[in-house]
Amino acid sequence: MKRSAGLIYTDIYNTYPDVPYVGVYKIRQPALLIRDPEIIKAILIKDFHSFEKNDIVVDENVDSIASKNPFLQYGERWKTSRSQLSYCFTSGKMKHLFPLMHAVSVHMVEYIENEAKLGGNPMDTKELAGKFTCDNVATCAFGIDGKSFVDPNSEFRKVGKRILEPSFSLTMKMLFILLFPECTAFLKIKFICDDVVDYFRNVIKTTLNYRKENHLVRNDFLDVITQMKLKPDDPPLQDDDITAHAISFFADGFETSSIALSFALYNLAANLSVQEKLRNEINEVIRKNGGTVSYESIQNMNYLDCVLSESLRIHSPAFALVKLCTEDYCLPPCSKSGLEVKVERGTPVIIPVHGLHLDAKYFPDPEKFIPERFSDDNKAHIIKGSYLPFGEGGRICIGMKFAILQIKVAIIAIVRHFDIRVNEKTKEPLVIDPNHFLIFAKDGIWLDYQKRNN
Ligand code: HEM
């Protein structure tokens, strides 16, 4: 494939700088690419009811597990899953997960130290970030030790790699799911293969039995979801629902966060003054907190928040949001003298996140890494609808708090203990892999990690 759909959407966004929306074809189906943040805001928030479906279809008779993922649901089923899962992602629940995440970050620091001693530099930072988020999701969602940092043959890591990491078979599968959804049922194409589902089903069953027999409470996702009080009208949660929710936690939460973490580390390595400023903030907050990192102290690291926001702007894991118009809708005229445009029910509507994030109209010097754009004073000036790493409105990413926390925990641990530098093996400027529907650096992110004498 020469260019992924995501990069093509960015090209179209850049080709028509003066219009609020552009008509495009998705193979042979007419679709709309929306450029104007004001209209995007309306689609995602005010008029959400007219665009409540994502433009990805799975047949529940073919892929019953994926069909329980809120991203792929709509209507009443989506509302029920969304409200059940939202309960698992509150700030209070994140606070309970923090010690588990911190423990994984300690393993990561030990791993980097050992690797550096053994001449492991430069390190493949996407792989490092993948190990971290894999073990983190393993412990927070399934209550097990993923062992990615100690066992090169870790079962959990191997299974994780099969879900969303780039491969020819994944590219082909996504091509069918996104462009020829009607063929997926016929060809019985599934998001997640049966043996991967069986693996997770077994892990969950064994874990739940063990906890029951040993009266173990861990306050992780499995505890929360199994003890959740359902609304009177909600159907009771079956074992398959719990398996599906846990798999969706893994599928949605591990790869996106590992991408975001690897690019954040690259941006810090490529911008040494930012790295130094961040290290000073981290050390200062930790000093004030008696020498330890806590959930609360992370909330006081404002510059860290700016660094991550800026990295998600330049390297947003998702190139675009793909919605479906679910009831006829009127777009405002393209020009003052023009007419309203009717969008028919069933029309795909593309929101080109990557194009917006790199548009100088909204972010001057868009290629430059400037975390200060997101300072308290400056972020009020960011045009709503132009910054969407997690989407917006009714379908905003449900795992956003979890993602931000796990990435911050990893950045803090690394920046505190290591000087990070871009190794010459990294090809700069980074070239985005044209074959994948999420953002990947084509030739990898290779960084050197030098232990600091704190
Ligand atoms: C940096 C990491 C992440 C990024 C950039 C990200 C981004 C997104 C985006 C762009 C959407 C679509 C929003 C829309 O349609 O308006 C989304 C939806 C979703 N995300 Fe994430 N995500 C991340 C991490 C996570 C994690 C950690 C989880 C769970 C553990 C998660 C679970 C979900 C789910 C379930 C949805 C579907 C929500 C719905 O349709 O109601 N994501 N995410």
Side-chain angles (χ1 to χ4, degrees):
M1 205 198 301
K2 279 201 177 139
R3 274 177 102 58
S4 66
L7 285 175
I8 294 172
Y9 296 148
T10 305
D11 294 343
I12 297 172
Y13 178 89
N14 291 332
T15 309
Y16 301 94
D18 301 320
V19 295
Y21 41 86
V22 188
V24 294
Y25 276 99
K26 203 185 117 186
I27 308 293
R28 285 164 53 197
Q29 187 185 17
L32 271 170
L33 182 135
I34 312 289
R35 294 188 77 267
D36 177 39
E38 200 53 43
I39 303 179
I40 291 174
K41 226 171 59 185
I43 288 175
L44 296 179
I45 304 172
K46 184 167 71 63
D47 302 326
F48 170 70
H49 53 91
S50 303
F51 299 91
E52 60 153 337
K53 223 169 151 181
N54 283 320
D55 183 25
I56 302 184
V57 183
V58 290
D59 184 329
E60 80 171 296
N61 297 317
V62 174
D63 199 344
S64 70
I65 291 290
S67 74
K68 291 185 165 67
N69 186 321
F71 188 78
L72 301 165
Q73 292 178 318
Y74 59 95
E76 285 310 310
R77 290 186 68 192
W78 169 72
K79 273 189 201 149
T80 306
S81 305
R82 174 100 198 171
S83 84
Q84 287 176 351
L85 283 174
S86 299
Y87 173 78
C88 305
F89 288 100
T90 60
S91 302
K93 304 284 184 307
M94 293 305 109
K95 197 172 160 178
H96 280 132
L97 293 180
F98 170 74
L100 303 176
M101 296 185 180
H102 183 64
V104 178
S105 77
V106 172
H107 290 154
M108 176 174 65
V109 168
E110 286 166 4
Y111 169 83
I112 302 176
E113 259 180 71
N114 290 336
E115 285 292 300
K117 271 189 217 149
L118 297 169
N121 277 321
M123 254 175 244
D124 176 350
T125 293
K126 176 64 190 63
E127 177 62 24
L128 177 74
K131 284 183 176 10
F132 175 79
T133 57
C134 183
D135 279 13
N136 211 28
V137 174
T139 185
C140 293
F142 299 91
I144 62 169
D145 181 357
K147 296 199 175 91
S148 300
F149 289 117
V150 287
D151 178 3
N153 295 315
S154 152
E155 195 67 25
F156 214 84
R157 179 87 186 102
K158 273 198 214 154
V159 172
K161 278 182 186 237
R162 290 190 47 205
I163 295 188
L164 277 180
E165 278 205 351
S167 67
F168 178 72
S169 66
L170 179 66
T171 304
M172 294 317 289
K173 190 155 75 172
M174 289 313 292
L175 204 68
F176 271 99
I177 290 171
L178 294 169
L179 297 179
F180 309 106
E182 59 289 354
C183 300
T184 52
F186 172 67
L187 296 172
K188 299 207 180 317
I189 295 175
K190 297 183 182 185
F191 257 101
I192 298 172
C193 307
D194 287 342
D195 57 323
V196 172
V197 172
D198 288 343
Y199 170 82
F200 282 120
R201 202 176 262 129
N202 265 332
V203 166
I204 292 166
K205 198 170 162 196
T206 317
T207 310
L208 288 179
N209 284 343
Y210 181 81
R211 285 183 188 185
K212 207 168 164 187
E213 280 162 17
N214 296 282
H215 308 287
L216 205 70
V217 179
R218 250 181 127 248
N219 285 321
D220 59 13
F221 179 76
L222 269 191
D223 273 359
V224 173
I225 195 119
T226 44
Q227 287 154 23
M228 182 166 57
K229 290 205 170 41
L230 299 175
K231 288 190 192 138
D233 295 341
D234 283 356
L237 279 183
Q238 307 294 335
D239 284 358
D240 235 26
D241 296 316
I242 295 172
T243 306
H245 283 329
I247 291 180
S248 107
F249 191 128
F250 191 71
D252 302 336
F254 139 71
E255 191 66 356
T256 42
S257 292
S258 111
I259 293 172
L261 173 58
S262 59
F263 279 104
L265 292 172
Y266 167 77
N267 285 318
L268 285 168
N271 295 276
L272 295 180
S273 58
V274 173
Q275 188 182 143
E276 203 45 45
K277 186 169 170 185
L278 176 62
R279 184 171 293 116
N280 289 339
E281 176 186 81
I282 290 172
N283 287 339
E284 181 58 15
V285 172
I286 291 177
R287 191 186 59 76
K288 283 191 187 150
N289 196 47
T292 55
V293 190
S294 63
Y295 176 79
E296 288 74 13
S297 66
I298 294 179
Q299 315 312 314
N300 293 329
M301 296 181 185
N302 297 333
Y303 193 60
L304 173 60
D305 201 59
C306 300
V307 165
L308 180 55
S309 302
E310 175 67 342
S311 191
L312 286 167
R313 179 186 70 78
I314 301 187
H315 298 114
S316 163
F319 288 107
L321 309 176
V322 281
K323 307 280 163 195
L324 206 64
C325 176
T326 42
E327 56 188 26
D328 289 357
Y329 187 75
C330 272
L331 287 177
C334 246
S335 62
K336 274 191 187 137
S337 54
L339 298 169
E340 283 186 336
V341 169
K342 183 178 162 194
V343 185
E344 280 179 16
R345 185 167 173 256
T347 307
V349 172
I350 300 144
I351 301 185
V353 175
H354 191 240
L356 287 154
H357 284 193
L358 293 174
D359 187 339
K361 194 164 149 193
Y362 308 118
F363 301 99
D365 283 328
E367 309 289 340
K368 285 202 180 140
F369 187 73
I370 309 174
E372 286 72 12
R373 295 182 208 267
F374 291 89
S375 68
D376 284 346
D377 285 346
N378 292 337
K379 76 176 164 203
H381 303 298
I382 293 176
I383 308 280
K384 291 231 162 26
S386 69
Y387 180 69
L388 301 160
F390 293 101
E392 186 50 275
R395 273 192 184 264
I396 193 169
C397 173
I398 212 169
M400 182 170 71
K401 287 197 185 97
F402 179 87
I404 291 177
L405 186 60
Q406 69 170 341
I407 296 167
K408 285 184 176 174
V409 167
I411 294 178
I412 293 168
I414 289 178
V415 170
R416 244 183 114 186
H417 294 283
F418 302 94
D419 282 317
I420 43 175
R421 300 282 183 272
V422 180
N423 184 278
E424 59 192 10
K425 194 173 169 185
T426 304
K427 295 209 177 103
E428 292 185 287
L430 296 182
V431 175
I432 303 305
D433 188 340
N435 292 312
H436 205 55
F437 71 103
L438 294 173
I439 196 171
F440 282 89
K442 186 164 164 274
D443 301 297
I445 296 174
W446 297 89
L447 306 182
D448 290 326
Y449 293 76
Q450 206 70 48
K451 181 86 172 95
R452 289 178 61 82
N453 297 317
N454 288 333

